Structures are given as structure tokens and as C-alpha cells.
Amino acid sequence: MEYCPVYAPFFGSMGCTAAIVFSCLGAAYGTAKSGVGLSAMGVLRPDLLINVLLSSGLALKQTLFSGFIQFGAGLSVGLSCLAAGIAIGITGDAGVRATAQQPRMFVGMILILIFAEVLGLYGLIVALILNTKASGSESVCN
């Protein structure tokens, strides 16, 4: 069948992989970058330191359309979480250093961190919308 090639599940699997890999890269970078800033703050002011939806849609026989949709959904959430992790890492690093020097910077830093975190949520929302489109195309292969 031209609508259900054997390689179609590959793209759905790669979407799951992209979501996990890029999200973990973003989280790792954000954690590492913020950890450096927290360590610097501990030295300066020690007194202040106190993929499930996509994988359920995978099938041995699926359309190429749904495979590409799942791949796009995985890239959407993975790359947006990578961007959020980078933004959180840079902001967290600079923010904790600034808070160590001027405690009034704390509220501003938290606001910017919230804005950076929303990037990952936007990617998740797009992925959820895409995943609902992919689930309706499976009747062609059966």
C-alpha cells in the first residue's frame, strides 16, 4: 500500500526520540548552567543558599502521514524544551549572580525564568494538537 509503507513507523519513533533527546539536552544544559551560577552565589553570599502520548500511537502498520506527524510533534516538544533549557540556564546563571549582589533582583529573575519555561509548554501544546491529527489517520492501514 502506498499510504502505509513499512518505514512509516520509523518517523513516529524518531519523533519520540527527538522529544526525549532534545528535552534532556535542554534540561541538562539549563541545570549545568544554573548550577555554575548557584556555586558562584554560594561563594559570594553563602547566607542566601538554603513521551507517553506519542509512544501509545506507534503501530506496526501506520500511515506515512501519521509517522511524519509524530515526528513533527516530537521535534516540536524536543526543540522547544531545548530552547527553554538554554534560556533558563543563561538566565539562571546571570540571575543568581545578580541576586547575590543585589537581593532585589530576585523577583525579576523569577519572572524571566517563568517566561523562558513557557517556551517548552508552547512546544508541548503544538505536539498535542499534532498528535490528535495523527491518531485519526490509522484506519487507512487496517
Side-chain angles (χ1 to χ4, degrees), residues 30-94:
T31 303
K33 192 79 171 153
S34 294
V36 170
L38 283 172
S39 299
M41 183 179 162
V43 171
L44 294 174
R45 298 281 305 270
D47 56 314
L48 293 178
L49 282 179
I50 312 286
N51 266 320
V52 173
L53 290 175
L54 290 179
S55 63
S56 67
L58 292 177
L60 190 58
K61 288 181 110 183
Q62 70 180 49
T63 63
L64 188 58
F65 173 77
S66 68
F68 278 129
I69 290 290
Q70 289 172 338
F71 181 57
L75 283 177
S76 169
V77 72
L79 292 175
S80 64
C81 286
L82 176 64
I86 291 171
I88 289 169
I90 293 170
T91 302
D93 181 35

Side-chain angles (χ1 to χ4, degrees), residues 14 17 19 21 30 41 52 64 69 74 87 89 102 114 119 131 135 139:
M14 289 308 295
T17 303
V21 168
M41 183 179 162
V52 173
L64 188 58
I69 290 290
Q102 176 55 261
I114 290 169
L119 295 173
N131 195 43
S135 62
S139 61

